[in-house]
């Protein structure tokens, strides 16, 4: 039997409880499991700037765009992912995400969090992998070597 994921949540903080409930609802709408939710949540609250963006989006349904990684914001990540996912959404195993805004939003936040620890790799992908099909695309991505 596997252990339940540990979630760090301050029950005395109304905003944090509201944000966690919203994250939980987004994960459920995205058909993501509790293990994803726990990992996402724990990473989210460990970055004050990303957590602030999450709260802002929850309250305003828009990006604050205050948090940046080398000039890139969450809105940039979402735009990249929408373009990138267009080519993936034709796959039958991903078609359920075609019209799932909750999934796209969670993945933008999740990617932004991951981008904090490896910005160069993510920035390279955002600059070179457009999601559209062109003959050189696979060659360019396969031959990329990190400095």
């Amino acid at each position: 039997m596997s252990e339940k994921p540990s979630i760090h949540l301050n029950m005395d903080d109304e905003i944090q409880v509201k944000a966690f409930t919203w994250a939980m609802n987004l994960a459920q709408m995205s058909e993501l499991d509790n293990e994803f939710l726990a990992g996402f949540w724990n990473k989210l609250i460990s970055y004050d700037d990303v957590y602030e963006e999450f709260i802002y989006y929850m309250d305003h349904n828009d990006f604050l765009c205050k948090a940046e990684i080398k000039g890139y914001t969450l809105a940039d990540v979402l735009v990249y992912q929408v373009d990138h996912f267009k080519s993936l959404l034709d796959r039958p195993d991903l078609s359920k995400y075609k019209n799932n805004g909750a999934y796209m939003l969670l993945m933008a936040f999740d990617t932004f969090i991951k981008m904090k620890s490896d910005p160069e790799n993510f920035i390279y992908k955002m600059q070179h992998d457009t999601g559209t099909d062109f003959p050189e695309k696979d060659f360019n991505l396969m031959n990329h070597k990190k400095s």
Side-chain angles (χ1 to χ4, degrees):
M1 184 177 231
S2 67
E3 247 181 75
K4 285 187 176 184
S6 176
I7 296 173
H8 305 287
L9 180 62
N10 180 355
M11 296 300 289
D12 294 328
D13 183 338
E14 285 183 38
I15 295 171
Q16 194 174 99
V17 171
K18 180 181 174 187
F20 176 76
T21 302
W22 187 57
M24 184 174 57
N25 290 334
L26 290 172
Q28 287 172 346
M29 289 186 286
S30 302
E31 299 178 19
L32 297 168
D33 62 19
N34 288 339
E35 187 175 337
F36 170 85
L37 175 62
F40 170 79
W41 178 256
N42 293 338
K43 288 181 284 183
L44 175 69
I45 63 171
S46 72
Y47 294 107
D48 291 339
D49 58 342
V50 184
Y51 178 64
E52 179 183 10
E53 293 277 346
F54 191 77
I55 299 297
Y56 186 87
Y57 196 95
M58 176 183 69
D59 290 340
H60 298 94
N61 202 32
D62 196 7
F63 291 107
L64 181 59
C65 290
K66 184 175 166 185
E68 289 186 6
I69 300 171
K70 297 193 175 195
Y72 289 89
T73 67
L74 272 154
D76 296 316
V77 171
L78 182 66
V79 168
Y80 160 73
Q81 287 186 330
V82 167
D83 188 41
H84 180 72
F85 283 173
K86 284 181 199 174
S87 63
L88 295 176
L89 290 175
D90 291 334
R91 292 177 28 190
D93 58 325
L94 291 178
S95 63
K96 67 182 178 181
Y97 299 124
K98 191 171 266 189
N99 296 311
N100 192 327
Y103 179 77
M104 295 298 291
L105 183 63
L106 273 178
M107 291 303 100
F109 274 96
D110 190 58
T111 298
F112 196 77
I113 289 166
K114 290 174 182 169
M115 191 173 166
K116 284 198 160 272
S117 63
D118 188 11
E120 288 77 20
N121 187 41
F122 283 92
I123 290 169
Y124 182 86
K125 287 178 183 177
M126 288 172 61
Q127 291 175 345
H128 294 88
D129 184 8
T130 64
T132 51
D133 296 323
F134 58 93
E136 302 83 23
K137 179 176 119 176
D138 290 329
F139 178 78
N140 290 339
L141 288 174
M142 288 179 0
N143 290 307
H144 168 64
K145 292 185 174 124
K146 289 169 86 172
S147 323

